[in-house]
Amino acid sequence: MELNCDVAIIGGGPSASTCGAFLRKYNPSLQVHLFERETFPRDHVGESQLPIIGAVLDEIGVWDKVEAAGFPIKIGGTYRWGTSDDLWDFHFLPGGKFENELRPAKFAGQRRETAFQVDRAVYDKILLDHAAEMGCVVHEGVGVRGVRREVDKVTGLVLEDGTEVTARHYVDASGHAGLLRRSMGVGIEEPSALRNIAIWDYWQDAEWAVSLGVGGTRIQVMSVGYGWLWFIPISETRTSVGFVCPADYYKKSGLNTEEIYLKGISDEARVRALLTKAVRENQLSTTKDWSFVAERMAGENWLLIGESAGFADPILSAGLSLAHMSAKEAAFTMLELDRGGNAPWLKTQYEAINRRKILQHIRFADYWYTANSHFSDLKEYTREIARDAGLELDADQAFQWLGTGGFIEEDMRVAGFGTLALATLHQVAGRLSEKPSTSAIDGFNGFLLDLKGAEEVTLARYENGRVQPVPALRKNSKNLPLNGYFGLIVESLKHSARIDQAATFMSRKLAMDGRKYDMEVHVSIVQALDAMARDGWIKPRHLAEGAPISVDFISHSQYIQENHDQELPQNQVAAALRQA
């Protein structure tokens, strides 16, 4: 039997269904087939999300279905980590203020800044069914047995039932199995010395550690002397509880997976108390969570997405974010290739942005572990990694080391790192370091552009089904797009190096384009300025005139929350920057 289509996707998880949905959304004529070896619903680990996913769900039209499932709303996390035994909270929403609102709710307001904690059995099926409703042909219970190839070109797939599948584009969304990746001889890099294992099970009727508004909560991440526990409510009654420890410790402990899992829970009082009245489902599972990145992510007619392209330690809850984003960018890349786009450039851009995101999350996980005195062996591993980069990990150097690849993201919307906004990164770094994280622009009133030696390049912007070329500058492996907030800042600082005058110029420019300078824009500009200073595009200065910027991404967050939708008149913009 033979089957021919436009796009053949190996897998049916979130990256596969997201990729298929995007393809059909922006080109309904495409014949897209997904081949999933299992039959949904099925359980899968990786339930905690980051806010960047919401916009993806909204764009493919599945937000309302996911929201209707009633998954807990993640507003951040509660941690016991680092050098202190005290608990600390990490917030997506400024100030951690979550307003009570009825559900199901629309993707608007505070819900743009929050995330879900999902039961993957339910969530993955919602996405796969939605892809089918969008016109994808979904084959469940049909695995791929082999990949036919000629040099770097895939010539077909062989299904377990013997069916031969041919397509113009092939996508590997097979997760850790990396079926196509392995068949094409693509190796992996393991840039981290961390070698952990994860063991998890599900519990019914556990007590939620935190309840906020309607369905709002925080995940719990609690370190013990030899590992750490996650506690993630994924429905009103079901909770995922996992334990992570170094593989070497597990081997030397003499305990089996059941014993060490229960020991971890027993030794952590907070999680133990939350499970006092809960009933375990006894579905204990285990996996290695060794971070890796594929040496290549694109070939002549194939792309890697999701975990087939790379994996980062679960401490950051980044797995689903990387999966959804790579799926979107892969889909847009294929759509652009079908329009006759520049294939080498499109594939190079796809690989560059996804490789960078994965490596940044791996590096951030390494940094996270250095801040936990319980993980002395792991801390030494990551110190060695840092030393290779010529750094000792004090607070300031470590923060800068994290951003070796740059704090400016190619999606042109936020200054950030991996899939985290820069303000979020400041929150975490400020808690993990012995010294508080400080902004690179705090206390300065002038910023001199430093564009000398930069070369003109073209970056990719993934928007509305297109991959648009965006003019940018590159210097010392750092990129600066010349549109969006970054372009606005460059133009404004050319007008005046004084930040108060530059800010007034920005406000006028936005007004001319019919946009208001509200708190959301304001925060984005402050983060962009901070990123540009860290990446060396601007030099902070103390000028003779003009009030300095005062930036505290943590303590000032309440002010931002209360004034989130408030438009700032032009005569108040400079004042707002003084308390950014």
Side-chain angles (χ1 to χ4, degrees):
M1 181 178 174
E2 296 183 357
L3 188 158
N4 181 262
C5 57
D6 294 304
V7 183
I9 302 176
I10 305 173
S15 62
S17 51
T18 298
C19 184
F22 270 121
L23 289 168
R24 290 286 302 178
K25 173 182 173 70
Y26 290 109
N27 187 354
S29 68
L30 286 177
Q31 297 179 23
V32 182
H33 286 245
L34 281 66
F35 303 96
E36 169 56 50
R37 67 181 180 181
E38 298 187 47
T39 300
F40 284 24
R42 57 91 175 94
D43 274 316
H44 197 286
V45 72
E47 305 91 351
S48 181
Q49 300 188 348
L50 297 174
I52 196 171
I53 293 176
V56 174
L57 300 178
D58 184 60
E59 188 172 359
I60 60 175
V62 76
W63 165 272
D64 288 343
K65 297 175 184 176
V66 174
E67 168 68 0
F71 296 124
I73 302 168
K74 179 181 177 181
I75 69 161
T78 299
Y79 298 86
R80 180 181 292 113
W81 200 265
T83 58
S84 172
D85 288 332
D86 296 335
L87 298 177
W88 58 273
D89 292 333
F90 158 72
H91 309 293
F92 292 140
L93 290 163
K97 187 178 180 181
F98 182 69
E99 299 290 346
N100 205 6
E101 63 178 350
L102 295 177
R103 299 185 70 186
K106 294 298 182 182
F107 181 64
Q110 65 180 358
R111 296 304 301 279
R112 290 180 175 272
E113 309 299 327
T114 59
F116 289 108
Q117 295 168 194
V118 299
D119 185 326
R120 288 288 300 274
V122 179
Y123 180 74
D124 291 11
K125 182 169 174 54
I126 291 173
L127 292 180
L128 190 61
D129 289 348
H130 181 73
E133 291 176 18
M134 295 284 289
C136 295
V137 180
V138 176
H139 306 262
E140 293 186 68
V142 180
V144 175
R145 186 175 68 196
V147 177
R148 300 196 188 282
R149 59 176 290 194
E150 291 179 0
V151 192
D152 194 42
K153 182 177 182 180
V154 178
T155 58
L157 306 177
V158 182
L159 305 184
E160 290 177 342
D161 63 4
T163 300
E164 299 269 352
V165 179
T166 56
R168 294 187 297 107
H169 304 286
Y170 298 85
V171 179
D172 188 351
S174 63
H176 259 84
L179 197 152
L180 189 148
R181 184 192 74 228
R182 295 174 189 269
S183 298
M184 299 307 291
V186 177
I188 62 171
E189 302 171 23
E190 297 181 5
S192 173
L194 302 176
R195 297 288 185 271
N196 295 338
I197 64 165
I199 308 165
W200 71 95
D201 204 342
Y202 300 94
W203 297 68
Q204 288 289 335
D205 299 320
E207 181 183 351
W208 283 20
V210 179
S211 294
L212 298 161
V214 179
T217 187
R218 286 192 292 266
I219 66 169
Q220 306 292 299
V221 173
M222 302 287 124
S223 62
V224 292
Y226 46 89
W228 61 273
L229 290 158
W230 76 65
F231 180 96
I232 307 173
I234 56 178
S235 77
E236 289 185 359
T237 61
R238 198 177 195 218
T239 299
S240 172
V241 181
F243 172 71
V244 177
C245 72
D248 286 345
Y249 176 85
Y250 166 66
K251 292 175 183 177
K252 295 175 183 177
S253 71
L255 304 175
N256 61 32
T257 53
E258 172 93 5
E259 291 167 340
I260 200 169
Y261 175 73
L262 294 178
K263 174 177 169 56
I265 292 173
S266 176
D267 289 346
E268 210 301 298
R270 184 174 175 85
V271 172
R272 184 178 69 244
L274 295 172
L275 297 176
T276 300
K277 299 178 181 179
V279 178
R280 197 175 136 204
E281 294 184 7
N282 290 315
Q283 299 185 41
L284 194 71
S285 300
T286 183
T287 186
K288 66 177 186 179
D289 62 7
W290 299 356
S291 300
F292 74 91
V293 61
E295 292 176 348
R296 297 173 58 213
M297 298 180 191
E300 186 171 337
N301 63 342
W302 54 268
L303 292 163
L304 309 181
I305 64 176
E307 286 187 14
S308 69
F311 175 79
D313 188 281
I315 190 70
L316 301 172
S317 304
L320 280 171
S321 298
L322 294 170
H324 280 291
M325 293 304 294
S326 64
K328 171 183 176 177
E329 290 148 4
F332 288 16
T333 297
M334 287 183 281
L335 291 165
E336 209 63 63
L337 287 168
D338 283 353
R339 298 186 186 103
N342 183 328
W345 180 78
L346 288 166
K347 293 173 185 178
T348 297
Q349 290 293 309
Y350 174 77
E351 281 194 345
I353 191 170
N354 281 283
R355 181 179 180 83
R356 177 183 166 196
K357 286 177 182 175
I358 295 168
L359 287 173
Q360 285 181 324
H361 276 290
I362 291 173
R363 175 164 282 183
F364 198 3
D366 288 342
Y367 171 56
W368 195 293
Y369 280 105
T370 68
N372 194 327
S373 57
H374 292 319
F375 290 81
S376 57
D377 291 342
L378 300 181
K379 188 168 184 175
E380 184 55 35
Y381 283 148
T382 48
R383 282 191 181 279
E384 290 176 9
I385 296 170
R387 290 190 189 108
D388 289 342
L391 294 176
E392 292 292 333
L393 283 178
D394 67 26
D396 292 333
Q397 287 177 320
F399 194 86
Q400 199 62 41
W401 173 68
L402 287 173
T404 297
F407 286 103
I408 296 175
E409 286 296 323
E410 282 87 343
D411 68 4
M412 319 309 171
R413 288 179 177 80
V414 297
F417 184 86
T419 57
L420 295 168
L422 191 56
T424 299
L425 190 65
H426 270 291
Q427 281 189 62
V428 175
R431 292 290 187 173
L432 296 183
S433 302
E434 295 179 359
K435 297 187 296 182
S437 175
T438 57
S439 169
I441 61 174
D442 184 50
F444 297 94
N445 64 349
F447 299 96
L448 304 180
L449 286 169
D450 184 6
L451 309 180
K452 185 177 180 180
E455 62 173 322
E456 296 181 358
V457 296
T458 303
L459 301 179
R461 179 176 183 176
Y462 300 86
E463 188 172 45
N464 298 325
R466 301 301 304 264
V467 184
Q468 300 283 9
V470 173
L473 298 176
R474 177 172 296 159
K475 182 174 64 172
N476 299 327
S477 300
K478 309 291 179 64
N479 296 325
L480 178 67
L482 295 177
N483 74 331
Y485 293 129
F486 299 108
L488 178 63
I489 290 172
V490 169
E491 185 178 1
S492 301
L493 291 180
K494 286 181 177 178
H495 171 75
S496 174
R498 272 182 52 178
I499 190 58
D500 53 352
Q501 294 178 351
T504 301
F505 181 85
M506 292 181 213
S507 178
R508 290 172 180 165
K509 287 287 293 183
L510 289 169
M512 291 172 61
D513 293 335
R515 300 175 59 191
K516 63 180 182 179
Y517 192 115
D518 58 17
M519 247 340 200
E520 184 174 358
V521 170
H522 179 69
V523 171
S524 295
I525 287 175
V526 170
Q527 291 184 78
L529 277 167
D530 190 61
M532 289 175 68
R534 292 184 178 280
D535 283 359
W537 296 107
I538 56 177
K539 293 182 177 179
R541 291 289 185 268
H542 295 287
L543 302 181
E545 296 182 355
I549 290 179
S550 175
V551 179
D552 186 334
F553 284 118
I554 299 174
S555 66
H556 192 60
S557 59
Q558 186 64 44
Y559 173 81
I560 296 171
Q561 172 70 14
E562 294 172 353
N563 296 275
H564 187 266
D565 295 320
Q566 178 182 331
E567 182 173 3
L568 299 177
Q570 291 179 10
N571 62 356
Q572 293 182 18
V573 170
L577 276 172
R578 291 197 292 273
Q579 51 181 344

